[in-house]
């Protein structure tokens, strides 16, 4: 693409997709690079957006449609940016594309059902397993299968394996475990960095029982539980015994606003938990949601949503951080401990399930931009805004709507780098 | 929650707390992690969250009249888990220091002990007194020559036993009396600061005290601070060592020596001075001393090796440790040296020992030593007003019966 | 026009095994009279594509129909320059949701081929809407957002006109002495960035600034807006009064109509107050721009209605804005007696069932209170600042600033609900309950500062002054803001080419405003670029079709003018609609609204859909094979049918889906067409509507539902049961409900006699 006015967007989450599309629709060439085999990032794994409680699939669909319709936009999935050299207006980036290990015609066949190897389903935060040859999810873009070469390699010995490979071939699907990654270089005028975030590792919160108590899950897992394409097909039930949950504790600031974990506020967890309360109440009208918080942060127009949820008499808000979570060994109920600050009494309550509102950790905190002269703040968020432009949660914790605004702005910043060059 | 109070923050008080070692108190953002992290805080109005905001707001009366600060045994779980690094443990410790100073009688002595600047003066007083005793009523630093056939060291000829008896009994009496007066002040403060509780049905002082002792003597509550059992054992050793020593001294002085003087007049050597084992009770003294020292050493070492758990050590801590540990060590050393036969060394150590012991007695109500009294009184007060301090055995919330809701799975 | 078609049936994907391909080809060749029809596997493969390209060249095809997988895949592969490409979905919507080699499955596939080919034949060859357009951009408002939008857009090389009513640029940001910028280090407040911004804007060659001016009128359409800029003055007052009066009537009318009350003529709002753009007897400047960014900012909400806070009653109870002005003026003193202030209570939480949603919902209230507490402490070492809040809201990295301010010994923070403020000897007494101190408290202070909300300045100040038939305003969403779907389309207002940015959109901090304005600038640029190529903007970006009217048949019913969510139509003196194509979002709602069926797009018109319906093969009654047409929104509901297929969900083979641009696109005549042809039932599936609507076009599915409520008379004419028509809302992630939805309807229909019009 040398010579043309091109923008490289790294990260295929909602911020990256938006930045790429907005720039492309404003008339510049765009290369979008995503590490996973599909676009959509974290948003693809959400059940609903607050405050409208509409499904992200709707927004993703229109964006995927825009991508398909736009010849100026090139998408690479399973791809990573290895190095970026040069400066504003003229960068050279090395992109490494990892193989899908399977060739087919738009996820054409269900024969993958017979795949002899299974792997933990990362899309569902490993709450279930999936076939080693799979379509990541119904709406995946690109609509193409992807194979886990490692898992399949292990299964080779299994007689079922060759049968499976044949069956696939018959359905126009070629499994190729030998395929190697390919690297190539592109010259671009500007870079938008939108590698987003990951949920803070809840196992680091020793006293909150994640990984120790069967019925302690995180907020992102709650999204999958509620999602109709999730591990339980939308049934909000207990991991331990699959029983419907009748009272759930939502534990705010699980890691956020804590010098021992994430010192900053993740901005969205309060609203997410309010949203989760609505999931629970919609699924089970008898259910009771209790949200334990330090400060309930619903800002700007989200206060409407806050008021709406607050009005539900089966959603109660308790000011006071949850400090310990233990498990009742017989019932597998979770016992949470905290202080109800306004009444000044210690709480030791039993719930069917506890949801930890884990915070957002910027990906750039651990995986930095492979380029010189990029600066970060003390928390690992991207600061530099010269030639390499942060978009979305790479800049600061923010909700989806704000991500889209920010990404649109980043697109203009990038566009400026292409002007007069 | 009920009645409304007019609040006027006392910035000076906050400053004092900070000076007393609560440097991070303003960092607290009231998440209540501390109140829950604490293994021994009661379920109703647990500490230290409420103490934290009182401290931030400089609400002196509230904090100075708060018995809860004495329920804390400073395991520092609150401090290690605090998401903001506000160190509630230190804040309560600082509050305890303030309690001692605020109720001290006579109050200037409270200041004297609390002020790092006045260290020399504070230590100087007992030193000078002992020296006066030596040079004024005895022969100063002239060590008696060893008498053939007898023990090499004759403390009695260095300082007359009678002097010691009178002098130290007086000092101890002063300490005890002013401690009692201070504690009485404190008790009144508690009543004044908690009218609601104080006004309610009360248990008598004595029964409350007995309950309290039943808890304190075996360190029952302290034991619940599992976080650092070693400290619990150490303190238990020191505590009982202390008591052992006290008993020894009391018996030796009260039952043996003093009657001796009364019967035989001031001259002569009381039986207790007839060397080791002359009266068996002294064995207890030795055992206690050993226990005492071991405990002390453990606690001091922890302060250096594990500051996060042991908490920050302020001047007030060091002063007390210095005096009490000094007394212990010198006492032990004196005895050993004496049998070791280093004559002059023994006399010098003996003198220093006396100085330490005197400090201990005089400053009993003003140094951290006073916690022995304040903690007892605070807990007793709590019991007398029926402050609940027991943790319920089972969860205080029972989930609604599980209706089988099918929902829209599928 | 007549198209030369080529039809390509994909036998891959298992289609060959599940369907009788020969029979399909017969349908194409014999029945549909398309000589060129090929069947082969995987047309997406390069060598297969070559075959199609050859046909296009050799056979001079003008259109190709590819029958295979859903149009959701290979959109990029099956792209032939200048050739109409239609896709028939035999995969997701036929073989994946129906039993293989079944008669009904075969019929389904054949019908979809018929419909697809019919549709393709109906494409009309019309040029896109191309007119002389202008690419410059108007920015209204010279505050931080307006200046940022102007500057950033100018940096991308566009001509900008910036209009500010005040004598200088700067807005609120210019009035604040210190601000928090959201940039590291986060523990400090810094000097206002206004000065540099102003310098940058004035320094930019391609920005023309009009200070002390307002927009008098905006007429025209994206790419060709005519803007009249007039010096600020008294003239705004009468204009605003007239507009407010009209708006009041309009809202009342809407409310009545919503309740189904038919509104009397005198209660109708009628034409909006006219803005005279002919006789301009005052100094003015006229400019032409391609798009508009509205950054009119905010004004402080009036806390007067909270009597218990004593605002207006006690001079020493002020708003945070007043304090900000005080500080800018030099010193913090008591308004009552000018004495220095030693203690301040900042109140962010009052007992209130927040009647005005903006009050206390401001994103920045807590940050401002902390900042102003710091003002006091900096100016008075002995000063005491009390902050009472419901929740301390310092999101993201701002937590750091909160943390830093906590360390100040003179700042006292507590959650608490302020019961009231009273005036006593000790100054103002503030009574607070539910505090962290465990009891109700009262503090005596010299000054009380209320956190006021930020109300967007827009409709109530005649900022936009559009000369549109639908009125001078930007329509507000149910939340009182001016954007449409604020999650997925954060910038789209209901007026194409006009974008709201900064606090005019929602309360934001300075960083928020800057980011927001930059984004709005991009959308404005996008808009001018797309309209210059005769293309639609988001969400149908790139669509070159546009509505054309066969005006001679118009009956002046005004439905199109009123129902267009984007105010695309103005009105000619004779009452007929005057389309402004560049305002159009191509949702075709107007096409559905027109009873005379005179509105059409080149690739989407009433006849096209009607013919598709008619092309469906309806078996005789005795075959007991009912037929159902499902008109479905292509944006959200239609893909969910694919999802069902991908999950191999089976449902009745009797339904035929016809996607529409938006359910609001539904025209009653299609229902009549269906029923009169013997179709047994008609189903409408659109997206969720209401306050939290998902419609890409704001109110399409709502309109459809409304129209259906008026269908009864059609049915009576045909003597058919009303149950034969159902309207549903379906979101994309509810695909698991599809089989139930469809099978239920088929079941309902089985309760009736077959449609008597079969075989007519």
């Amino acid at each position: 693409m040398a010579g043309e006015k091109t923008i490289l967007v790294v990260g295929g989450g909602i911020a990256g997709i938006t930045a790429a599309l907005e720039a492309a629709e404003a008339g510049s060439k765009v290369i979008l690079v995503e590490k996973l085999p599909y676009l959509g990032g974290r948003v693809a794994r959400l059940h609903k957006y607050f405050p409208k409680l509409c499904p992200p699939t709707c927004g993703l669909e229109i964006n995927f449609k825009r991508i398909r319709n736009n010849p100026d936009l090139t998408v690479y999935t399973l791809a990573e940016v290895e190095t970026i050299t040069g400066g504003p207006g003229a960068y050279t980036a090395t992109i490494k594309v990892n193989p899908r290990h399977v060739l087919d015609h738009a996820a054409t066949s269900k024969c993958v059902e017979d795949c002899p190897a299974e792997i933990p389903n990362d899309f569902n935060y490993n709450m279930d397993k999936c076939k080693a040859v799979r379509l990541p999810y119904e709406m995946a873009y690109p609509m193409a299968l992807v194979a886990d070469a490692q898992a399949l390699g292990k299964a080779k010995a299994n007689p079922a394996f060759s049968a499976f490979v044949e069956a696939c071939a018959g359905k126009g699907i070629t499994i190729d475990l030998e395929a190697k990654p390919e690297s190539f270089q592109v010259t671009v005028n500007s870079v938008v960095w939108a590698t987003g975030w990951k949920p803070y590792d809840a196992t680091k919160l020793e006293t909150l029982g994640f990984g120790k108590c069967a019925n302690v899950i995180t907020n992102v897992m709650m999204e999958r539980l509620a999602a109709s394409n999730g591990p339980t097909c939308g049934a909000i039930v207990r991991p331990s015994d699959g029983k419907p949950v009748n009272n759930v504790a939502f534990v705010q600031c699980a890691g956020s606003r804590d010098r021992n974990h994430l010192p900053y506020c993740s901005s969205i967890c309060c609203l997410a938990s309010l949203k989760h309360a609505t999931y629970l109440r919609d699924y089970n009208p008898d259910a009771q949601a209790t949200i334990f918080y330090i400060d309930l942060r619903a800002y700007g127009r989200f206060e409407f949503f806050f008021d709406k949820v607050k009005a539900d008499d089966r959603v109660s808000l308790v000011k006071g951080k949850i400090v310990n979570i233990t498990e009742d060994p017989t019932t597998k109920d979770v016992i949470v401990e905290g202080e109800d600050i306004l009444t000044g009494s210690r709480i030791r309550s039993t719930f069917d399930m506890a949801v930890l509102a884990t915070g957002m950790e910027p990906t750039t905190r651990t995986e930095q931009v492979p380029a010189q002269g990029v600066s970060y703040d003390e928390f690992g968020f991207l600061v530099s805004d010269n030639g390499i432009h942060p978009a979305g949660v790479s800049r600061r914790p923010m909700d989806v709507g704000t991500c889209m605004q920010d990404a649109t702005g980043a697109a203009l910043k990038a566009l400026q780098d292409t002007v007069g060059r | 929650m009920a009645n409304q109070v007019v609040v006027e923050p006392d910035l000076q008080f906050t400053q004092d707390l900070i000076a007393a070692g609560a440097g991070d108190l303003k960092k607290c953002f009231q998440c209540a992690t501390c109140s829950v992290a604490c293994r021994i805080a009661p379920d109703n109005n647990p500490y230290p969250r409420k103490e934290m905001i009182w401290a931030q707001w400089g609400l002196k009366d509230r904090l100075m009249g708060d018995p809860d600060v004495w329920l804390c045994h400073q395991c520092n779980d609150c401090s290690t888990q605090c998401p903001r690094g506000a160190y509630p443990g230190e804040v309560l410790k600082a509050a305890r220091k303030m309690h001692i100073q605020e109720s001290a009688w006579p109050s200037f002595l409270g200041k004297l002990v609390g002020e790092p600047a006045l260290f020399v003066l504070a230590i100087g007083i007992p030193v000078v007194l002992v020296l006066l005793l030596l040079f004024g009523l005895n022969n100063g630093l002239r060590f008696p020559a060893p008498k053939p056939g007898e023990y090499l060291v004759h403390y009695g000829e260095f300082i007359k036993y009678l002097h010691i008896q009178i002098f130290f009994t007086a000092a101890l009496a002063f300490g005890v009396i002013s401690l009692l007066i201070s504690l009485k002040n404190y008790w009144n403060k508690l009543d004044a600061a908690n009218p609601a509780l104080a006004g309610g049905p009360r248990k008598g002082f004595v029964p409350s005290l007995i309950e309290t002792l039943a808890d304190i003597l075996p360190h029952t509550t302290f034991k619940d601070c599992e976080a650092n059992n070693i400290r619990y054992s150490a303190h238990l050793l020191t505590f009982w060592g202390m008591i052992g020593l006290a008993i020894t001294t009391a018996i030796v002085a009260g039952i043996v020596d003093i009657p001796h003087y009364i019967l035989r007049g001031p001259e002569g050597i009381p039986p207790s001075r007839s060397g080791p084992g002359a009266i068996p009770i002294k064995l207890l003294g030795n055992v206690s001393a050993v226990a005492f020292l071991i405990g002390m050493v453990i606690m001091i070492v922890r302060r250096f090796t594990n500051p996060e758990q042991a908490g920050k050590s302020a001047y007030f801590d060091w002063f007390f440790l210095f005096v009490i540990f000094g007394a212990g060590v010198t006492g032990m050393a004196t005895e050993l040296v004496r049998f070791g036969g280093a004559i002059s060394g023994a006399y010098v150590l003996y003198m220093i020992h006396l100085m330490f012991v005197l400090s201990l007695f005089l400053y009993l109500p003003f140094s951290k030593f006073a916690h022995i009294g304040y903690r007892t009184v605070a807990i007793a007060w709590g019991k007398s007003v029926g402050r609940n301090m027991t943790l319920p055995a089972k969860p205080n919330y029972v989930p609604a019966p599980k209706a089988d809701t099918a929902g829209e799975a599928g | 026009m007549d198209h030369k078609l080529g039809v390509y049936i994909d036998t891959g994907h298992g289609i060959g095994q599940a369907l009788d391909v020969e029979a399909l080809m017969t349908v194409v060749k014999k029945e549909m009279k398309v000589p060129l029809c090929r069947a082969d596997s995987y047309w997406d493969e390069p060598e297969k594509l070559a075959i199609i390209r050859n046909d296009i060249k050799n056979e001079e095809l003008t259109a190709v129909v590819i029958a295979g997988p859903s149009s959701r895949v290979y959109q990029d592969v099956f792209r032939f320059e200048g050739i109409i490409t239609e896709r028939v979905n035999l995969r997701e919507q036929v073989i994946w949701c129906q039993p293989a080699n079944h008669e009904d499955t075969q019929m389904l596939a054949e019908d979809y081929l018929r419909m697809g080919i019919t549709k393709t034949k109906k494409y009309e060859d019309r040029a896109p809407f191309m007119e002389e357009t202008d690419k410059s951009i108007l920015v209204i408002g010279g505050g931080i957002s307006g200046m940022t939008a102007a500057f950033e857009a100018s940096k991308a090389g566009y001509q900008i006109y910036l209009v500010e009513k005040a004598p200088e640029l700067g807005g609120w940001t210019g009035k604040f002495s210190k601000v928090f910028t959201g940039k590291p280090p986060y523990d400090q407040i810094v000097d206002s960035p206004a000065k540099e911004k102003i310098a940058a804007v004035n320094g930019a060659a391609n920005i023309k600034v009009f200070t002390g001016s307002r927009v008098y009128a905006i007429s025209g359409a994206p790419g060709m807006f005519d803007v009249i800029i007039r010096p600020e003055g008294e003239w705004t007052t009468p204009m605003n009064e007239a507009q407010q009066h009209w708006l009041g009537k309009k809202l009342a009318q809407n409310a009545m109509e919503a309740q189904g009350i038919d509104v009397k003529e005198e209660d109708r709002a009628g034409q909006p107050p006219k803005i005279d753009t002919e006789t301009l007897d005052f100094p003015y400047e006229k400019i032409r721009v391609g798009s508009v960014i509205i950054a009119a900012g905010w004004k402080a909400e009036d806390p007067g209605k909270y009597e218990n806070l004593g605002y207006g009653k006690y001079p020493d109870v002020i708003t945070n804005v007043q304090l900000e002005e005080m500080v800018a003026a030099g010193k913090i003193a008591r308004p009552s007696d000018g004495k220095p202030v030693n203690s301040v209570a900042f109140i962010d939480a009052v007992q209130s069932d927040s009647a005005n949603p903006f009050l206390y919902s401001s994103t920045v209230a807590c940050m401002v209170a902390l900042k102003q507490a710091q003002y006091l402490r900096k100016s008075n070492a002995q000063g005491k600042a009390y902050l009472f809040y419901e929740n301390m809201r310092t999101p993201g990295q701002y937590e750091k600033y909160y943390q830093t301010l906590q360390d100040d010994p003179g700042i006292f923070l507590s959650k608490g609900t302020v019961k009231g403020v009273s005036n006593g000897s000790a100054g103002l007494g503030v009574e607070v309950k539910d505090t962290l101190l465990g009891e109700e408290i009262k503090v005596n202070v010299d000054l009380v500062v209320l956190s006021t909300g930020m109300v967007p300045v827009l409709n109530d100040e005649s900022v936009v002054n559009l000369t549109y038939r639908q009125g001078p305003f930007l329509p507000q969403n149910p939340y009182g803001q001016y954007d449409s779907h604020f999650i997925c389309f954060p910038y789209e207002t209901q007026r194409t080419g006009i974008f709201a940015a900064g606090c005019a959109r929602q309360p934001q901090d300075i960083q928020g405003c800057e980011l927001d304005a930059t984004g709005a600038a991009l959308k404005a640029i996008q808009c001018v670029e797309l309209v210059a190529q005769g293309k639609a903007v988001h969400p149908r970006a790139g669509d070159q079709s546009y509505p054309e009217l066969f005006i001679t048949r118009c009956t002046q019913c005004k439905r199109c003018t009123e129902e267009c969510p984007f105010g695309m139509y103005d009105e000619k003196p004779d009452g007929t609609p005057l389309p402004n194509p560049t305002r159009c979002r191509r949702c075709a709602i107007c096409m559905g609204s027109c009873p005379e069926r005179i509105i059409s797009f080149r690739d989407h018109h009433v006849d096209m859909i009607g013919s598709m319906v008619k092309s469906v093969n309806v078996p005789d009654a005795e075959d007991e094979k009912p037929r159902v047409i499902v008109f479905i929104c292509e944006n959200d509901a239609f893909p969910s049918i694919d999802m069902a297929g991908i999950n191999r969900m089976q449902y009745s083979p009797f339904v035929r889906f016809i996607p529409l641009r938006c359910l609001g696109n539904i025209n009653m005549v299609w229902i009549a067409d269906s029923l009169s042809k013997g179709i047994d039932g008609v189903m409408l599936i659109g997206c969720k509507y209401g306050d939290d609507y998902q419609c890409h076009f704001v109110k399409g599915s709502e309109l459809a539902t409304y129209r259906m409520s008026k269908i009864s008379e059609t049915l009576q004419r045909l003597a058919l049961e009303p149950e034969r028509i159902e309207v549903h809302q379906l979101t994309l992630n509810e695909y698991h409900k599809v089989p139930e939805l469809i099978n239920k309807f088929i079941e309902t229909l089985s309760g009736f006699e077959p449609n008597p019009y079969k075989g007519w």
Side-chain angles (χ1 to χ4, degrees), chain A residues 67 75 90 94 122 189 253 292 307 344 354 403 409:
Chain A
I67 293 173
V75 177
T94 312
D122 169 64
N189 302 95
C253 292
F292 298 93
D307 293 344
C403 273

Side-chain angles (χ1 to χ4, degrees), chain B residues 180-410:
Chain B
L180 290 176
I181 297 172
S182 308
L183 291 176
K184 181 66 181 130
N185 291 345
Y186 182 54
W187 183 275
N188 298 340
K189 274 214 185 74
L190 293 179
D191 281 351
N194 308 280
L197 283 171
R202 300 278 296 254
K203 197 183 288 172
F205 173 72
V206 179
S208 319
L209 184 62
I210 292 166
E211 275 185 49
T212 309
L213 292 176
D215 171 55
I216 288 181
L217 296 183
H219 281 38
T220 317
T221 319
F222 207 149
K223 199 174 196 307
D224 292 336
C225 292
E226 304 142 30
N228 37 32
N229 260 324
I230 179 70
R231 184 160 144 273
Y232 150 75
S233 340
H235 193 275
L236 196 62
L237 276 174
T238 318
F239 179 77
W240 282 105
M242 196 71 217
I243 291 185
L245 287 166
I247 293 171
T248 318
T249 324
I251 292 175
V252 168
I255 300 172
V256 186
D257 288 10
I258 295 173
H260 165 85
Y261 292 119
I262 295 164
L263 300 177
R264 306 260 190 87
E267 294 312 314
I269 302 162
S272 71
R273 304 300 167 199
S274 322
I279 40 177
I281 191 67
K282 280 192 163 186
L283 291 173
L284 171 63
N286 288 309
V287 176
S288 309
V290 174
F292 173 83
L293 282 175
I294 295 171
M296 288 300 296
V297 171
I298 295 173
M299 285 196 278
I300 292 172
V301 171
R302 267 189 82 260
R303 281 185 182 270
F304 290 107
T305 54
N306 188 0
E308 186 70 355
Q309 271 293 357
K312 306 195 180 102
S313 305
Y315 167 75
F316 198 61
D317 303 304
W318 287 129
F319 182 87
F320 173 50
L321 285 172
F322 172 68
V323 172
I324 194 164
F325 191 59
V329 170
T330 49
M332 203 69 192
T334 314
E335 189 172 10
L336 295 176
V337 172
R338 171 185 183 181
F339 294 120
I343 299 164
S344 48
Y347 284 114
V348 175
L349 275 166
Y350 181 58
M351 174 183 72
I352 298 172
H353 178 59
L354 291 180
M355 293 169 172
F356 273 115
V357 174
L358 187 56
S359 325
L360 205 56
F361 286 1
L362 287 176
Y363 298 144
L364 169 60
F366 316 112
S367 70
K368 192 177 175 182
F369 199 7
H371 77 276
I372 220 169
Y374 280 84
R375 190 177 298 277
T376 315
V377 167
I379 298 177
W381 186 89
K383 294 197 185 294
S384 85
V385 299
R387 172 100 165 92
N388 153 38
M389 297 177 199
T390 52
L391 317 175
K394 61 174 173 28
N396 49 19
Y397 168 96
V398 184
K402 295 190 174 66
D404 252 350
T405 43
E408 50 188 353

Side-chain angles (χ1 to χ4, degrees), chain A residues 22 68 138 296 377 396, chain C residues 75 79 186 511 526 735:
Chain A
E22 296 299 344
R68 291 191 298 256
E138 295 85 356
L296 232 154
D377 71 11
R396 73 177 191 197
Chain C
Q75 225 152 348
R79 189 181 279 139
Y186 306 105
Q511 187 189 31
Q526 237 179 35
Y735 57 82

Side-chain angles (χ1 to χ4, degrees), chain C residues 371-441:
Chain C
K371 176 181 85 169
Q372 299 188 335
Q374 196 177 13
Y375 285 160
L376 174 76
R377 293 285 301 160
K378 276 224 169 85
S379 65
N380 177 348
Q382 295 313 310
K384 291 176 182 174
Y386 305 90
L387 271 67
F388 298 111
Y389 50 86
E390 191 56 45
N391 291 288
M392 177 55 73
R393 285 166 299 185
T394 53
Q397 291 100 323
Y398 283 139
E399 186 71 9
K400 185 87 192 273
Y401 183 64
Y402 169 34
Q403 221 166 336
T404 314
L405 270 270
Q406 274 189 294
D407 280 340
D408 186 325
I411 295 179
F412 307 96
L413 302 149
S414 175
K415 172 191 172 74
T417 307
V418 174
K419 291 169 70 184
V421 176
S422 58
N423 202 355
S425 52
L428 293 165
V430 182
E431 296 178 26
V432 195
K433 64 170 194 171
D434 299 338
T435 66
L436 300 173
L437 290 81
E439 56 212 333
E440 241 176 70
I441 64 167

Side-chain angles (χ1 to χ4, degrees), chain A residues 7-13 15-17 20 30-41 67 73-84 93-98 184 186 188 191-196 370:
Chain A
I7 294 167
L8 171 65
V9 178
V10 185
I17 292 174
V30 178
I31 302 169
L32 175 59
V33 173
E34 166 57 44
K35 188 171 61 186
L36 295 176
Y38 57 91
L39 296 183
I67 293 173
L73 177 52
T74 320
V75 177
Y76 297 101
T77 50
L78 282 168
E80 291 159 71
V81 172
E82 288 182 310
T83 59
I84 300 176
T94 312
I95 299 173
K96 174 179 151 205
V97 180
N98 298 306
F184 58 92
V186 293
V188 298
V191 179
V192 173
W193 202 263
T195 52

